[in-house]
């Protein structure tokens, strides 16, 4: 099940502070939530990685990927985290995307893949994120 929202946001910036992607007068914040079974994680994450590759490619944006793994303080079981991290690594490999490991920088509820775009003067900006939340849908009995 996939949900998506695209919300226009507006800013009234002072003269001289607008600078391309980072300081604009209006932009659209998009957010999506995909609810999948454990067996669907790899395929769905690979699909999202390919979407990021296509969109950034269409705009000629160079980017790098970082895989952030289990932090010192986390929710859930180690085995669940191990499975989640393995699924993300395998999705990155199937999409042919090199990445760096950002050990321990995942959210307390799940690992993530961050995409940093590079601007015209070589600065990196974190843009898209694929965040795996293995804890929110968990039901206690």
């Amino acid at each position: 099940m996939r949900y998506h929202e695209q919300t226009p946001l507006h800013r009234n910036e002072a003269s001289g502070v607008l600078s391309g992607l980072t300081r604009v007068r209006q932009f659209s914040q998009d957010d999506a939530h995909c609810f999948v079974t454990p067996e669907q994680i790899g395929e769905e994450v690979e699909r999202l990685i390919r979407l990021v590759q296509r969109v950034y490619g269409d705009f000629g944006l160079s980017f790098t990927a970082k895989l952030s793994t289990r932090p010192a303080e986390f929710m859930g079981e180690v085995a669940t985290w191990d499975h989640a991290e393995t699924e993300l690594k395998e999705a990155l490999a199937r999409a042919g995307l090199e990445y760096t490991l950002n050990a321990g920088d995942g959210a307390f509820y799940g690992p993530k893949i961050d995409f940093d775009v590079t601007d015209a003067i070589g600065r990196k900006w974190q843009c898209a994120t694929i965040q795996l939340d293995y804890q929110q849908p968990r039901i206690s009995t």
Side-chain angles (χ1 to χ4, degrees):
M1 185 180 308
R2 297 180 183 106
Y3 292 100
H4 175 261
E5 173 194 19
Q6 196 137 359
T7 304
L9 301 173
H10 303 273
R11 296 179 177 163
N12 189 14
E13 299 288 356
S15 178
V17 300
L18 300 178
S19 63
L21 285 175
T22 60
R23 299 293 286 184
V24 295
R25 188 161 304 276
Q26 176 185 345
F27 63 98
S28 292
Q29 170 104 13
D30 61 337
D31 196 14
H33 297 268
C34 303
F35 295 87
V36 299
T37 65
E39 300 78 27
Q40 295 170 321
I41 292 170
E43 180 182 338
E44 193 69 19
V45 170
E46 180 185 354
R47 194 175 286 155
L48 292 169
I49 292 168
R50 292 188 186 282
L51 176 63
V52 169
Q53 289 172 314
R54 190 183 87 221
V55 170
Y56 288 172
D58 286 350
F59 284 98
L61 296 170
S62 61
F63 67 94
T64 57
K66 296 179 294 196
L67 173 62
S68 297
T69 58
R70 183 175 61 242
E73 295 185 29
F74 61 93
M75 289 178 61
E77 305 297 322
V78 170
T80 303
W81 274 84
D82 289 347
H83 178 257
E85 291 171 5
T86 297
E87 290 293 319
L88 295 185
K89 287 176 187 174
E90 290 176 358
L92 284 159
R94 283 192 306 274
L97 186 59
E98 292 183 17
Y99 63 93
T100 58
L101 187 62
N102 201 6
D105 201 48
F108 68 92
Y109 51 83
K112 63 181 179 170
I113 303 168
D114 287 317
F115 298 88
D116 294 346
V117 297
T118 305
D119 68 13
I121 60 173
R123 297 175 298 184
K124 291 191 178 288
W125 302 92
Q126 192 275 316
C127 237
T129 296
I130 298 173
Q131 177 75 53
L132 184 55
D133 182 347
Y134 233 136
Q135 307 309 317
Q136 187 231 351
R138 190 171 179 185
I139 299 172
S140 300
T141 56

